[in-house]
């Protein structure tokens, strides 16, 4: 009997090595390799004790480096990687448009592949995030999970904001999640490239 499937959607900038709100894809690809290896070690391999993991990637790569971005993913994730879209241009006019486009691309690929088994859910992960320890694989699989609030330094003050660098959406919430994106995403703010979980 096949194990149930969990999707992993990697999005963002493969060569990003800078602070929030600065879109800079000129960083060394070794940072991306390190982030992806940590993702394999701290999330994917623990998930694979119970689930099959299938990976979709939707990434902005450095100029003329789309092939290296794809190669890193193929070398680290091997047969788990189903689709990698890497291009040097932004996927939308803002973060919301990018997330909506990525989500719609994922659902399109699932329909196109006529998935025999519906996934239990999907983790969405920023490519420039470095996981430092295990634990995310233990999140409940029947509800939306965010690491929610965190502190952000803005103009010398500390603000509490929602962290959207990694979250999980169960299959039964896919349509609801998509319909709420245009309404609610303005309140979400990605802020750190290192998540110490």
């Amino acid at each position: 009997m096949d194990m149930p499937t969990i999707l992993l959607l990697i999005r963002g900038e493969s060569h990003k090595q800078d602070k929030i709100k600065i879109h800079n894809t000129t960083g060394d690809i070794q940072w991306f390799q390190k982030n992806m290896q940590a993702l394999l070690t701290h999330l994917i391999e623990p998930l694979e004790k119970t689930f099959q993991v299938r990976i979709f990637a939707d990434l902005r790569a450095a100029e003329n480096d789309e092939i290296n971005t794809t190669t890193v993913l193929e070398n680290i994730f091997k047969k788990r990687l189903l689709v990698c879209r890497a291009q040097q241009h932004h996927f939308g006019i803002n973060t919301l448009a990018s997330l909506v486009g990525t989500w719609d691309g994922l659902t399109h690929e699932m329909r196109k592949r006529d998935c025999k088994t519906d996934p239990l859910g999907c983790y969405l992960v920023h490519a420039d995030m470095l996981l430092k320890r295990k634990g995310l694989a233990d999140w409940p699989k029947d509800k939306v999970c965010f690491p929610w609030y965190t502190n952000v330094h803005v103009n010398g003050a500390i603000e509490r904001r929602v962290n959207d660098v990694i979250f999980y959406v169960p299959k039964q919430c896919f349509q609801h999640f998509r319909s709420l994106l245009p309404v609610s995403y303005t309140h979400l703010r990605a802020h750190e490239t290192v998540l110490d979980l």
Side-chain angles (χ1 to χ4, degrees), residues 145-158:
C145 299
F146 279 86
W148 289 113
Y149 295 108
T150 188
N151 294 328
V152 180
H153 295 274
V154 179
N155 299 326
I158 295 177

Side-chain angles (χ1 to χ4, degrees), residues 121-141:
C122 180
Y123 282 85
L124 287 89
V125 181
H126 271 237
D128 60 330
M129 178 190 66
L130 175 64
L131 283 178
K132 292 187 172 181
R133 60 182 107 158
K134 295 176 174 70
L136 297 175
D138 298 328
W139 279 0
K141 301 299 181 280

Side-chain angles (χ1 to χ4, degrees), residues 86-121:
Q87 61 187 36
Q88 71 182 61
H89 302 290
H90 283 292
F91 297 127
I93 60 171
N94 56 30
T95 303
L96 172 59
S98 172
L99 178 57
V100 168
T102 295
W103 186 261
D104 289 348
L106 169 69
T107 54
H108 169 75
E109 287 293 337
M110 287 171 53
R111 280 192 308 270
K112 187 171 83 174
R113 291 169 185 280
D114 191 23
C115 296
K116 302 280 188 261
T117 310
D118 278 341
L120 287 181

Side-chain angles (χ1 to χ4, degrees), residues 7-8 10-11 13 20 29 35-37 41-42 62 81 90 97 100 151-152 155-156 162 166 176 179 181 187:
L7 302 177
L8 177 65
I10 303 169
R11 58 182 300 270
E13 300 177 48
I20 180 172
I29 198 157
N35 292 349
M36 295 302 99
Q37 188 62 53
T41 302
H42 297 311
L81 181 66
H90 283 292
V100 168
N151 294 328
V152 180
N155 299 326
V162 174
I166 184 165
H176 187 61
S179 67
L181 277 175
H187 300 290

Side-chain angles (χ1 to χ4, degrees), residues 51-64:
F51 307 102
Q52 294 181 74
V53 178
R54 297 294 176 254
I55 300 170
F56 294 80
D58 199 13
L59 299 164
R60 180 177 179 218
E63 186 175 350
N64 301 318

